[in-house]
């Protein structure tokens, strides 16, 4: 089915000047960027986005990292977009990420792992709505 998913290029990858390289991989995988913006998250915005991880030991470090510099948030659309996006990102820990995946190529650690992708269509709907209004998401027309 055609799905949408939320993608974040994290501060480490933005700092490596890799926005375009990562966008190219989305497009090469058949995903269309239907919304995008660059944003420096506030502490409250990062905490709200990652609310499901609030009780995890890594939560404070995660929020500190995600607010350390600008990120690029995008909504991607395509066939099976949630899994297709996660496949090209590779495993959360870049040490486990398959060769040729975004995390294998751009990330150094599980904390600074280059990119985030929604883990289900349910979280995708919440995460896209967290950053974009309906009018900011452009349905693919051709
Ligand atoms: P992300 O997909 O953005 O979702 C939560 C982030 O927490 C994850 O990527 C990692 O960057 C970070 N993180 C740090 N430690 C862990 C861990 N042990 N398990 C899962 N995520 C972790």
């Amino acid at each position: 089915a055609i799905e949408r998913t939320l993608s974040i290029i994290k501060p480490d990858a933005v700092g490596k000047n890799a926005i375009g390289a990562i966008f190219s991989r989305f497009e090469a995988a058949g995903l269309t960027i239907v919304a995008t913006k660059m944003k420096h998250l506030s502490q409250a915005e990062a905490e709200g986005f990652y609310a499901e991880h609030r009780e995890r030991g890594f939560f404070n470090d995660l929020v500190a990292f995600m607010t350390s510099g600008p990120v690029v948030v995008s909504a991607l659309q395509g066939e099976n977009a949630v899994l297709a996006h996660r496949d090209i990102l590779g495993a959360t820990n870049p040490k486990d990420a398959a060769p040729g995946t975004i995390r294998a190529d751009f990330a150094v650690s599980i904390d600074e792992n280059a990119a985030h992708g929604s883990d289900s269509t349910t979280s995708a709907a919440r995460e896209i709505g967290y950053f974009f209004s309906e009018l900011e998401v452009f349905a693919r027309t051709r």
Side-chain angles (χ1 to χ4, degrees), residues 30-45:
L31 296 168
T32 299
I33 299 166
V34 293
T36 193
K37 62 183 152 195
M38 198 165 192
K39 199 172 161 55
H40 196 141
L41 299 180
S42 69
Q43 173 145 341
E45 285 169 336

Side-chain angles (χ1 to χ4, degrees), residues 10 49-50 53 56 58 62 65-66 86 92 103 109-113 115-117:
K10 296 189 181 185
F49 181 75
Y50 282 118
H53 295 308
R56 307 288 295 272
F58 58 80
L62 173 62
F65 171 60
M66 291 301 288
R86 289 178 75 82
T92 303
R103 285 174 177 143
S109 72
I110 192 167
D111 296 299
E112 304 201 3
N113 69 347
H116 164 84

Side-chain angles (χ1 to χ4, degrees), residues 122-140:
T122 305
S123 7
R126 180 189 82 84
E127 292 177 0
I128 292 170
Y130 191 80
F131 286 118
F132 297 103
S133 76
E134 255 180 72
L135 290 172
E136 292 174 318
V137 181
F138 296 88
R140 189 175 185 175

Side-chain angles (χ1 to χ4, degrees), residues 83-108:
L83 275 178
H85 181 222
R86 289 178 75 82
D87 277 353
I88 60 172
L89 289 184
T92 303
N93 189 339
K95 292 178 176 60
D96 302 325
T101 60
I102 288 167
R103 285 174 177 143
D105 291 345
F106 297 103
V108 290

Side-chain angles (χ1 to χ4, degrees), residues 19-86:
I19 297 169
I22 292 173
F23 273 3
S24 292
R25 290 180 183 214
F26 296 159
E27 294 178 341
L31 296 168
T32 299
I33 299 166
V34 293
T36 193
K37 62 183 152 195
M38 198 165 192
K39 199 172 161 55
H40 196 141
L41 299 180
S42 69
Q43 173 145 341
E45 285 169 336
E47 287 176 353
F49 181 75
Y50 282 118
E52 66 180 301
H53 295 308
R54 196 172 282 281
E55 306 304 325
R56 307 288 295 272
F58 58 80
F59 183 73
N60 288 344
D61 286 346
L62 173 62
V63 169
F65 171 60
M66 291 301 288
T67 57
S68 67
V71 299
V72 176
V73 291
S74 306
L76 308 178
Q77 181 172 314
E79 184 64 32
N80 208 14
V82 171
L83 275 178
H85 181 222
R86 289 178 75 82

